[in-house]
Amino acid sequence: MNRREFIKNSLGCMATVVVGSMVPGFRVDASTSSVKTLTIHITDALKDMVTHNAINTAQCHFWIYKVTADSIDIPAECPGPTIVTTAGDLITLTIINDLDEHHSFFIPGMFNSGSIAPGATITRSFTAKTCGAHLYYDNLNEPVNRVMGLHGALIVMPKVKPAGHRFTPYDKPQANVQKLFDDFGSSEHFPGLAWEEGDSTPWSLNPAVVNCPPFRQYVWLTHQASPNLFAEVANLPAGQIYGAQAFMDAFLRDPFSPTRANRIPQYFTINGQSGFFAHFNPTITPMGRVGEPVVVHILNAGLWTHSMHLHANHFYVTSVNGEVQEDPIWLDVFDVHPMDRVDYTIPFMRPPDLGTPRAIALPETPLTALSGAPVYPPIEEFNVFMPPLGTKAQDIDGNDVELGQRMSPMCYPMHDHSEPSQTAQGGNYNMGLNDH
């Protein structure tokens, strides 16, 4: 396609498509479930990043993987859709390069399209292997093509539960990781559910609320976008290539400019979203009760390091760059470097400020609330209002307004401890990589 015939792409979030075997309990749109083939157009898009008005267009030019699943178009977005499959499934890809330079589609250790010439089409198949999270991306002219937007996440799910054990997200987990997942839902320390278990108990006092699904997991695909630099790359004459070193120098080292007249990143995103749009997105923000463990797959497709810090609950680092950890460490912050793949396994323990006899839910602490109510499910929190229910105030029209607010669900932030990445070149905090 002509480089200036852009796809107008408003704020969305990367879709999920399941290929091959159905993955039980994974949250997907039924219309895109269990497809057999994927058609991938390597093309470009102009995306509204945060706001769009006459003063600040807040747009950025990306190269993107635009995917069709069994003839159903997946909304165009950067990053590409999350592809979920099951170990051992055969995936067939037809890849068309609509741009005017060579591009590729690459999954380390699993698939390599090789260089695809402008206007060319290839069709190839590969077998999904190595359970866990993988980055798919364009590995030509590293890192230019990947950072320009040609990247996405692939999740390979295990097919068979190990004999005598619970499911984990991995093929051959180390003994301590397996024990962690075995303990979820079956030990005093981790009351509630195993990772692969759903829940028939209502979320809250409202019976209409959907129950908890099994295999709870999220993808946080981080990236940084520079509208000025990306426009330079996208508008080069056909056949010219932007050098990798020049790209990195501009992206990482251009002098700061109060008018944004430089080429360092202006947007820091998770799954293509930043600020408000990230932390109010249910596909990004983990939501759960005490006793509903989740796995968060964090992949860094960009060039800046992020330090993801979680409040109220620590997490276990169970896998780093495909290597299942021998002794998963319990942390509240961990660095995710460029091209890293890190799994946070969050136990959703009772936050220590919610009250147990010793004020913290350690293994030797009886897991009951001060009132004697069980920790799981947290009925005590469902019934707590602040100020007390029945506290009224009058609005400007003289009408009584209820002030009591239910304390559950309670919200706790995650944010990046690499603080400069949250300023978006001097913009307010809510335009950077932010709290969820």
Side-chain angles (χ1 to χ4, degrees), residues 124-201:
R124 293 181 185 168
S125 299
F126 70 98
T127 300
K129 58 184 179 181
T130 312
C131 293
H134 305 266
L135 192 69
Y136 65 80
Y137 61 98
D138 183 345
N139 66 337
L140 301 184
N141 196 23
E142 289 262 29
V144 178
N145 296 1
R146 180 188 84 242
V147 176
M148 281 290 294
L150 290 170
H151 60 264
L154 167 71
I155 308 299
V156 180
M157 295 286 288
K159 181 170 285 188
V160 179
K161 180 187 291 189
H165 293 286
R166 300 283 198 183
F167 270 108
T168 78
Y170 314 112
D171 296 302
K172 297 177 181 179
Q174 297 281 0
N176 287 336
V177 169
Q178 183 65 70
K179 185 177 188 308
L180 176 66
F181 280 81
D182 287 348
D183 283 349
F184 288 145
S186 61
S187 71
E188 185 183 23
H189 190 32
F190 298 124
L193 303 175
W195 177 58
E196 77 266 22
E197 285 184 325
D199 190 3
S200 59
T201 305

Side-chain angles (χ1 to χ4, degrees), residues 14-327:
M14 62 184 191
T16 299
V17 56
V18 175
V19 182
S21 305
M22 287 295 295
V23 180
F26 195 83
R27 290 183 236 177
V28 295
D29 184 331
S31 66
T32 61
S33 299
S34 195
V35 303
K36 305 301 180 185
T37 61
L38 296 177
T39 300
I40 302 171
H41 282 266
I42 300 174
T43 183
D44 57 0
L46 188 66
K47 177 178 177 179
D48 296 339
M49 295 301 297
V50 180
T51 59
H52 185 194
N53 54 52
I55 298 173
N56 177 20
T57 59
Q59 291 182 326
C60 190
H61 192 147
F62 292 96
W63 290 341
I64 66 169
Y65 291 123
K66 188 176 187 305
V67 177
T68 300
D70 282 355
S71 300
I72 298 173
D73 286 338
I74 307 300
E77 177 60 289
C78 174
T82 297
I83 301 170
V84 181
T85 191
T86 304
D89 281 349
L90 185 70
I91 302 173
T92 299
L93 306 176
T94 294
I95 307 171
I96 304 101
N97 183 5
D98 292 330
L99 296 176
D100 53 16
E101 55 276 302
H102 286 69
H103 289 286
S104 72
F105 187 94
F106 178 66
I107 309 169
M110 208 175 305
F111 181 81
N112 188 357
S113 71
S115 181
I116 306 171
T121 299
I122 70 165
T123 298
R124 293 181 185 168
S125 299
F126 70 98
T127 300
K129 58 184 179 181
T130 312
C131 293
H134 305 266
L135 192 69
Y136 65 80
Y137 61 98
D138 183 345
N139 66 337
L140 301 184
N141 196 23
E142 289 262 29
V144 178
N145 296 1
R146 180 188 84 242
V147 176
M148 281 290 294
L150 290 170
H151 60 264
L154 167 71
I155 308 299
V156 180
M157 295 286 288
K159 181 170 285 188
V160 179
K161 180 187 291 189
H165 293 286
R166 300 283 198 183
F167 270 108
T168 78
Y170 314 112
D171 296 302
K172 297 177 181 179
Q174 297 281 0
N176 287 336
V177 169
Q178 183 65 70
K179 185 177 188 308
L180 176 66
F181 280 81
D182 287 348
D183 283 349
F184 288 145
S186 61
S187 71
E188 185 183 23
H189 190 32
F190 298 124
L193 303 175
W195 177 58
E196 77 266 22
E197 285 184 325
D199 190 3
S200 59
T201 305
W203 249 83
S204 69
L205 301 182
N206 179 1
V209 175
V210 176
N211 296 338
C212 171
F215 293 107
R216 292 165 295 280
Q217 56 191 319
Y218 294 80
V219 172
W220 290 348
L221 181 43
T222 66
H223 181 237
Q224 312 91 37
S226 166
N228 296 336
L229 180 57
F230 289 10
E232 277 188 31
V233 176
N235 290 315
L236 283 175
Q240 287 193 17
I241 302 298
Y242 205 106
Q245 189 60 54
F247 183 93
M248 289 190 290
D249 286 343
F251 194 84
L252 298 172
R253 302 178 183 93
D254 255 14
F256 177 81
S257 166
T259 61
R260 300 190 177 190
N262 59 17
R263 296 168 295 176
I264 63 176
Q266 294 181 17
Y267 302 103
F268 299 83
T269 65
I270 299 178
N271 299 1
Q273 307 297 289
S274 63
F276 174 95
F277 302 100
H279 65 241
F280 282 102
N281 192 312
T283 68
I284 297 174
T285 304
M287 295 184 179
R289 294 172 296 179
V290 169
E292 295 177 359
V294 304
V295 175
V296 179
H297 305 290
I298 307 173
L299 306 94
N300 188 353
L303 292 176
W304 284 36
T305 295
H306 298 298
S307 299
M308 306 305 219
H309 172 63
L310 188 69
H311 288 231
N313 257 235
H314 283 28
F315 52 81
Y316 292 89
V317 178
T318 50
S319 178
V320 178
N321 296 327
E323 183 177 342
V324 181
Q325 301 298 282
E326 183 174 353
D327 293 303

